[in-house]
Amino acid sequence: MKQPIPQEFDTPTYRDVLSQFDAAAEWFCLDTNIWKRLRLPQRALCVTMPIRMDNGDVHVFQGFRVQHDSSLGPTKGGVRYHPGVNLGEVAALAMNMTWKCALVGLPYGGAKGGIGCNPKSMSRRELQRLTRRYTAEIFPLIGPDHDIPAPDVGTNEQVMAWMMDTYSQQRGYAVPGVVTGKPICIGGSLGREEATGRGVVYVAIEAMKHLGISIEGATAAVQGFGNVGSIAARFLSETGIKVIGVSDSTCGIYNSRGLDIQDVIAYKKDRHTLEGYPDGEMISNEELLELECTILVPSALSGQITEDNAGRLRCRMVVEGANNPTTREGDEVLKEMGIFVVPDILANSGGVIVSYFEWVQDLQKYFWKEREINERLQEIIITAFNRVIRFSVSENIVMRRASMSIAIKRLADAHLARGLYP
Ligand code: NAD
């Protein structure tokens, strides 16, 4: 498909996500009309928000909400607070959410939101004002039957609580199902906070079984020590895999004997950084990615594994905790090197799977036990993993292509069944 990308979406992340889709669509011989449609988001809203800062100044922030495709149901996707947020990146992440939901069989399309801001340098009161104003601005687009936000980089359950409250105030009654990843006391789900990291570990273990690698002697390195990275590291070490390196935006830490992850989590919680952690050697983020290990789990931002560093990776497999951590060129290098990649739309789908459970519980007003949630998560994600493996082996294609093809097939069926309006 040689159609130009509209200027407003044309960013490196959008090009990466689109090129993966184009390659899979071409291989799959996707109907050209559906192909053209899915290359672009269905709706994109840009908003500006004047916010009174604590020092009395007014700062105007820019935010976005993009809905990629609603053919399978309401749209679903996180909200990112980061200085680098732009429309093209949000649109790319929304597109990725469409593939992810379709791949694991959820009744959702993909969406994403974000605000260009640095939450680390803002006070709680500033963040609350910004979140409430953002929610008010995107109010026409969201709702339990329309589009359901969730946390992503730089946002957390508190931000979701403010979003839920702002939306509910406008409606005049409590609407817990408008967001997921909120605190349990207002309709959040048990197990949601750990869900993405837990899912990453479930698929990592399945991948090891597939490759015939035993847990004994296996090692892991995890980039990013936020929600996804710290929890994945915790579950990996609880499973018996030695986590030899972790990193955050400030630095990385390495210990060949294995890090005590609970201790690292406590240190990070206390100091808000990994810098200065006593039981490990300080390393750079680049060095962390290049550690010799069994499993590398990138769990930070997009575009971390590129054509420049992919050739220096010394892991047996990459399990993509983050969204789009590997560029198109980086992916080609990994393929040539024979590194097994569990793609983001499969590896980190645990978050949206348990978000789906949270939404179902909110709509039913009936809440499940944590054991039930974890078991259902495991069943869905492992079933999806095995489907992808079977397809990948039978067609002799890599896991990313197989995952994308399964997702595209489900979307194509839905689009063809529904037809065009008007
Ligand atoms: P988070 O804000 O909780 O954590 C991000 C972490 O990355 C932080 O530790 C930060 O210090 C670190 N980081 C930032 N820049 C870095 C860099 N250059 N090098 C190393 N570390 C860096 O965010 P999160 O929710 O854990 O999300 C991480 C990734 O996982 C994102 O790509 C997100 O889209 C994806 N994801 C998150 C969820 C979820 O449920 N939270 C679900 C699916 C995918």
Side-chain angles (χ1 to χ4, degrees):
M1 176 84 39
K2 288 276 173 263
Q3 291 207 338
I5 303 173
Q7 203 185 338
E8 54 274 33
F9 301 120
D10 193 4
T11 56
T13 316
Y14 198 82
R15 270 177 255 142
D16 273 339
V17 172
L18 197 59
S19 68
Q20 284 167 10
F21 169 56
D22 282 344
E26 189 172 355
W27 179 85
F28 188 76
C29 301
L30 178 65
D31 178 296
T32 2
N33 294 329
I34 295 168
W35 189 347
K36 276 190 278 187
R37 165 68 191 84
L38 290 175
R39 292 182 97 242
L40 293 169
Q42 185 174 335
R43 274 187 208 109
L45 178 67
C46 301
V47 297
T48 50
M49 299 155 288
I51 302 297
R52 176 91 52 201
M53 306 305 277
D54 290 347
N55 67 4
D57 291 352
V58 171
H59 186 89
V60 181
F61 292 89
Q62 198 175 11
F64 311 93
R65 185 73 190 168
V66 177
Q67 300 170 343
H68 175 252
D69 182 77
S70 63
S71 59
L72 292 170
T75 49
K76 182 93 192 77
V79 176
R80 180 171 288 198
Y81 287 2
H82 190 269
V85 163
N86 57 54
L87 179 60
E89 180 187 62
V90 174
L93 292 165
M95 189 184 279
N96 229 28
M97 282 302 293
T98 299
W99 316 141
K100 195 181 300 184
C101 294
L103 171 64
V104 295
L106 303 181
Y108 289 139
K112 205 79 183 186
I115 302 179
C117 67
N118 183 359
K120 287 184 186 157
S121 67
M122 292 171 72
S123 72
R124 182 184 159 92
R125 286 188 308 178
E126 288 168 342
L127 278 174
Q128 177 167 182
R129 286 195 287 272
L130 179 61
T131 301
R132 289 189 181 278
R133 181 60 187 256
Y134 173 68
T135 311
E137 293 293 342
I138 65 166
F139 182 81
L141 253 57
I142 59 173
D145 296 324
H146 295 194
D147 180 12
I148 307 127
D152 190 70
V153 174
T155 56
N156 55 22
E157 63 169 28
Q158 179 58 72
V159 172
M160 293 304 113
W162 292 327
M163 290 191 81
M164 178 270 188
D165 183 67
T166 307
Y167 185 87
S168 300
Q169 296 296 345
Q170 303 282 324
R171 284 268 170 243
Y173 51 90
V175 189
V178 65
V179 291
T180 59
K182 55 194 173 292
I184 309 256
C185 59
I186 52 169
S189 176
L190 293 166
R192 171 61 186 89
E193 206 186 343
E194 300 86 14
T196 312
R198 191 184 283 279
V200 163
V201 177
Y202 285 151
V203 297
I205 303 291
E206 287 306 300
M208 285 171 72
K209 280 189 211 157
H210 171 72
L211 298 174
I213 301 171
S214 77
I215 287 184
E216 207 182 323
T219 52
V222 180
Q223 185 200 36
F225 209 66
N227 173 283
V228 180
S230 67
I231 289 168
R234 196 185 103 207
F235 286 128
L236 283 166
S237 71
E238 282 175 12
T239 311
I241 294 168
K242 201 159 52 162
V243 180
I244 55 170
V246 299
S247 70
D248 67 6
S249 57
T250 56
C251 70
I253 51 175
Y254 167 72
N255 186 331
S256 60
R257 284 172 283 116
L259 293 157
D260 177 345
I261 296 300
Q262 287 291 15
D263 192 50
V264 181
I265 290 175
Y267 185 90
K268 167 96 183 176
K269 195 171 173 204
D270 192 39
R271 317 255 174 127
H272 305 290
T273 174
L274 295 174
E275 215 165 354
Y277 180 72
D279 285 333
E281 189 186 314
M282 293 297 122
I283 55 171
S284 68
N285 247 304
E286 292 71 37
E287 287 169 320
L288 178 114
L289 292 173
E290 296 166 21
L291 285 176
E292 186 169 359
C293 60
T294 315
I295 313 167
L296 176 66
V297 187
S299 314
L301 300 174
S302 308
Q304 299 298 304
I305 301 173
T306 64
E307 63 183 328
D308 295 334
N309 66 359
R312 294 195 296 273
L313 261 53
R314 289 183 295 155
C315 56
R316 181 70 188 83
M317 64 170 103
V318 173
V319 181
E320 294 183 335
N323 286 312
N324 319 308
T326 312
T327 64
R328 184 168 53 95
E329 296 81 6
D331 206 33
E332 285 301 320
V333 178
L334 297 184
K335 209 188 299 176
E336 279 163 29
M337 292 167 71
I339 294 180
F340 187 81
V341 178
V342 185
D344 50 2
I345 59 171
L346 177 59
N348 70 35
S349 63
V352 72
I353 293 171
V354 177
S355 272
Y356 165 63
F357 297 161
E358 179 174 333
W359 177 73
V360 168
Q361 292 172 83
D362 288 336
L363 297 183
Q364 292 178 335
K365 301 185 173 26
Y366 179 73
F367 290 85
W368 312 345
K369 295 192 180 66
E370 189 164 3
R371 186 179 44 78
E372 234 173 310
I373 288 161
N374 293 338
E375 280 171 9
R376 289 181 197 218
L377 161 64
Q378 188 171 23
E379 197 211 317
I380 293 182
I381 205 165
I382 290 182
T383 304
F385 179 88
N386 287 328
R387 260 181 86 194
V388 175
I389 281 282
R390 279 198 302 274
F391 195 58
S392 137
V393 170
S394 71
E395 299 294 326
N396 194 22
I397 51 177
V398 293
M399 293 286 280
R400 195 183 308 281
R401 172 78 47 93
S403 303
M404 290 287 302
S405 301
I406 293 170
I408 290 172
K409 162 94 174 72
R410 186 159 181 238
L411 286 157
D413 289 347
H415 275 270
L416 287 172
R418 287 182 60 160
L420 278 184
Y421 171 84

